Amino acid sequence: VQLVESGGGVVQAGGSLRLSCVASGFTFDDYAIGWFRQAPGKEREGVSCISSSDGSTYYVDSVKGRFTISSDNVKNTVYLQMNSLKPEDTAVYYCARLRYCHSHLDYFADYWGRGTQVTVSS
C-alpha cells in the first residue's frame, strides 16, 4: 500500500491550493481516503474524507465551505481543493487510507502518506 501526497506550498491568505493523493497497492474502490493535518505543537486533526465507492464525504467544521474533496477512481487519486486559505490552515497535510469515511477519521486509518507542507502567510 502506498499513498503519495503532492501540491503543498506557500500561499498568501485568501489564496488556493490543490492537494493530490495518489494511492496504489490496494483496490481503491473498497476504501475511503482521508486528509489530515498537523500543525507544529498541535495534535493531528482529521480534515476531510471521501468514500471511493459512493462518493460520500465528511468535512471538519473549520473547513466547510472552503475545502472540497473529490476522487478520480480511474487515476486512484483523491484531491483536496483548498480555497480562502487562512494562516491557521498552515500544517503538514497527510492522506490516509480509511476503512470508512466517518467523522472519527483517525479510528479508521491504517496506511499513511508522508505528508506535504502547506504554509499560509498573512
Side-chain angles (χ1 to χ4, degrees):
V1 175
Q2 190 173 23
L3 299 153
V4 180
E5 305 95 337
S6 63
V10 180
V11 64
Q12 288 189 333
S16 299
L17 284 174
R18 188 177 81 156
L19 305 183
S20 299
C21 173
V22 180
S24 61
F26 62 96
T27 303
F28 189 76
D29 290 355
D30 288 347
Y31 293 87
I33 298 292
W35 284 98
F36 299 77
R37 64 187 179 186
Q38 188 164 23
K42 294 189 177 181
E43 293 187 356
R44 186 174 59 204
E45 174 185 38
V47 175
S48 180
C49 60
I50 185 166
S51 171
S52 301
S53 59
D54 65 9
S56 58
T57 60
Y58 162 81
Y59 297 93
V60 70
D61 285 347
S62 60
V63 308
K64 283 181 181 177
R66 301 188 299 121
F67 290 11
T68 303
I69 193 169
S70 61
S71 177
D72 184 333
N73 289 23
V74 173
K75 296 182 178 180
N76 286 4
T77 301
V78 170
Y79 303 98
L80 186 68
Q81 178 67 44
M82 307 186 296
N83 298 330
S84 302
L85 282 162
K86 304 175 181 180
E88 51 264 44
D89 295 317
T90 295
V92 177
Y93 282 72
Y94 301 88
C95 65
R97 190 180 79 168
L98 309 179
R99 193 62 189 95
Y100 303 104
C101 179
H102 187 274
S103 58
H104 299 291
L105 281 73
D106 263 30
Y107 186 79
F108 296 104
D110 56 5
Y111 288 92
W112 297 80
R114 292 187 175 184
T116 185
Q117 176 70 48
V118 171
T119 302
V120 184
S121 62
S122 57

